[in-house]
Amino acid sequence: MSSLLPTSNVVSDGAENPPTTSLGLDLPQKHVADDAGALFVLKSKGSWVHCGYHLTTSIVAPPLLSLPYAFIFLGWTGGIICLVVAAIVSFYNYNLLSLVLEHHAQDGHRLLRFRDVAHHTLGPGWGRYFVGPMQFAVCYGAVVAAILLGGQCMKAIYVVAHPNGGMKLYEFVLIFGCLMLILAQLPSFHSLRHINMVSLVLCLAYSACATGASIYIGNSSKGPPKDYSLQGDTETRLFGIFNAIAIIATTYGNGILPETQATLAPPVKGKMFKGLCVCYLVLIVTFFSVSISGYWAFGDHVGSLVLNNFVDNGTPLVPRWFIYVTNIFTIAQLSAVGVVYLQPTNEMMEQAFADPKRAEFSMRNLIPRVISRSLSTALAIVIAAMLPFFGDLNALIGAFGFTPLDFILPVVFFNLTFKPSKRSPIFWLNVIIAVTFSAVGAFAAIAALRQIVLDAKNYRLFANV
């Protein structure tokens, strides 16, 4: 991994000062032009509206359908408080990170990648050996999870249509993976803007379907008896709380905000905040409606994915066509989510294998691009098919990845970049956030490891779950 990570991390934002390295040394303009990842994948051509589409796709994704499940361990009060706090803190942190990136852009150079910000702020080792590999694990894990969940949604449609059918989960994973292989060839992050616009509509659509179905079942006699009491002994409840917090934190996670901001055409000032407002408007509508309605309808019987509760022992509790439509909306958005989280991998491979002095679509660059992207996507498909219990592993990756990237590092970057007075409220607020979420991340990692140990006896390669 480290051999693919860059040592050059700046792109001019049109300022008169020459670009500089993170060590403050003058960087000739030709070094900027040598960055194939920035030139071909992180093209700075987008508007704040496009940025809003990208942010919404990366954050408001089908994992939000697991939010009702988190309420099982937190109850009504704890669940809603955690949702609200996570929304406020994540929006605040993303805005701080955006301000750090804007500050460097105004100084004459743009930091286009998360590892570049770490390199510049904390030192080269942090970017190369800590933030870079962490981000890669999170983003590639998100790709695998999207492929696996896409296969599961396809299988859910198949089971309702053909209850006695013989197709296995890994077959549906391979089918969904073929779609991902095609989408992976889209050349740049900016080229996804229209797909991500449709993705925004899709997340509203399946969230509305999930909310409507939950209310319908909750008001009928078809649903399970409602029980909102917290179950289990003290140890089970304690680990359950941290599991739930990890679910919520991962759902709010992004992990690619600098790469998203890199798609903005200069000048970048103020554009990211508008994009975040678009994203969080959609987020508030979807997260809260799905989590509250799902937990209200099913109580402690709600599944790890609320869509699973729409079928009870093979009997649909809502019309079959409604289940088909909801899952189709979900599958379609998962394809967009998967290709968005492929962008950091694509950028690293482009930097390693492309020649920035040749045209983007020359045979010299096109052939390595198609081969490398196809191989990376094929590997993700194999992992998803082989490890259908990847959700447990992804929870661990989320605890070690999304929590530092989205809840800890932004406040650290802000304090080190702007150096607010130690007597100022913002300095201590940032310190409190960093310390609190460091502890939360550690406990969530322990809870995820415990869950892996508990579920290990059920693990089977290529299992039909």
Side-chain angles (χ1 to χ4, degrees), residues 193-411:
R193 62 195 182 280
H194 301 304
I195 289 176
N196 289 341
M197 177 185 68
V198 176
S199 169
L200 186 152
V201 176
L202 288 170
C203 73
L204 289 170
Y206 67 69
S207 296
C209 290
T211 301
S214 295
I215 294 173
Y216 170 78
I217 295 171
N219 280 325
S220 71
S221 59
K222 300 178 181 179
K226 300 180 179 67
D227 184 0
Y228 307 117
S229 60
L230 301 179
Q231 305 294 325
D233 55 25
T234 303
E235 178 186 343
T236 302
R237 287 188 186 183
L238 182 62
F239 281 106
I241 289 171
F242 286 110
N243 247 338
I245 293 173
I247 290 171
I248 292 173
T250 302
T251 306
Y252 277 94
N254 174 269
I256 53 173
L257 189 134
E259 288 80 1
T260 304
Q261 187 156 331
T263 66
L264 287 171
V268 299
K269 184 173 177 59
K271 293 181 180 178
M272 196 64 171
F273 179 77
K274 294 178 183 178
L276 281 168
C277 288
V278 171
C279 172
Y280 271 74
L281 179 62
V282 177
L283 181 151
I284 290 170
V285 171
T286 54
F287 280 28
F288 285 83
S289 62
V290 170
S291 56
I292 292 173
S293 64
Y295 186 57
W296 170 79
F298 304 106
D300 62 4
H301 293 285
V302 69
S304 57
L305 205 67
V306 71
L307 300 186
N308 296 337
N309 288 91
F310 300 166
V311 178
D312 182 23
N313 293 323
T315 303
L317 303 182
V318 293
R320 292 175 185 269
W321 65 264
F322 191 88
I323 294 176
Y324 301 155
V325 168
T326 304
N327 279 283
I328 288 170
F329 288 156
T330 307
I331 291 166
Q333 206 224 1
L334 279 166
S335 65
V337 173
V339 76
V340 162
Y341 276 103
L342 266 176
Q343 297 312 302
T345 304
N346 290 347
E347 181 272 323
M348 287 189 291
M349 291 189 300
E350 203 82 2
Q351 192 175 53
F353 303 122
D355 182 356
K357 296 181 175 61
R358 303 289 291 275
E360 179 181 2
F361 297 106
S362 65
M363 294 304 292
R364 162 63 184 82
N365 288 333
L366 186 61
I367 293 175
R369 179 181 303 129
V370 171
I371 293 174
S372 60
R373 293 186 182 190
S374 298
L375 288 176
S376 70
T377 307
L379 178 60
I381 295 168
V382 171
I383 294 172
M386 187 171 62
L387 307 176
F389 48 84
F390 186 77
D392 285 356
L393 302 178
N394 214 33
L396 185 62
I397 293 172
F400 279 117
F402 278 123
T403 303
L405 290 175
D406 297 322
F407 292 94
I408 300 172
L409 286 176
V411 294

Side-chain angles (χ1 to χ4, degrees), residues 129-139 397 400-402 404-405 409:
Y129 300 113
F130 180 68
V131 173
M134 180 193 300
Q135 186 195 36
F136 176 82
V138 166
C139 292
I397 293 172
F400 279 117
F402 278 123
L405 290 175
L409 286 176

Side-chain angles (χ1 to χ4, degrees), residues 48-98:
W48 67 265
V49 176
H50 300 149
C51 194
Y53 298 155
H54 300 324
L55 287 168
T56 303
T57 298
S58 61
I59 299 175
V60 189
L64 72 89
L65 299 171
S66 65
L67 287 173
Y69 179 72
F71 275 50
I72 291 178
F73 308 103
L74 299 170
W76 278 115
T77 303
I80 292 175
I81 288 174
C82 285
L83 276 185
V84 172
V85 170
I88 294 172
V89 173
S90 61
F91 183 86
Y92 172 77
N93 280 16
Y94 293 147
N95 192 49
L96 289 191
L97 183 53
S98 173

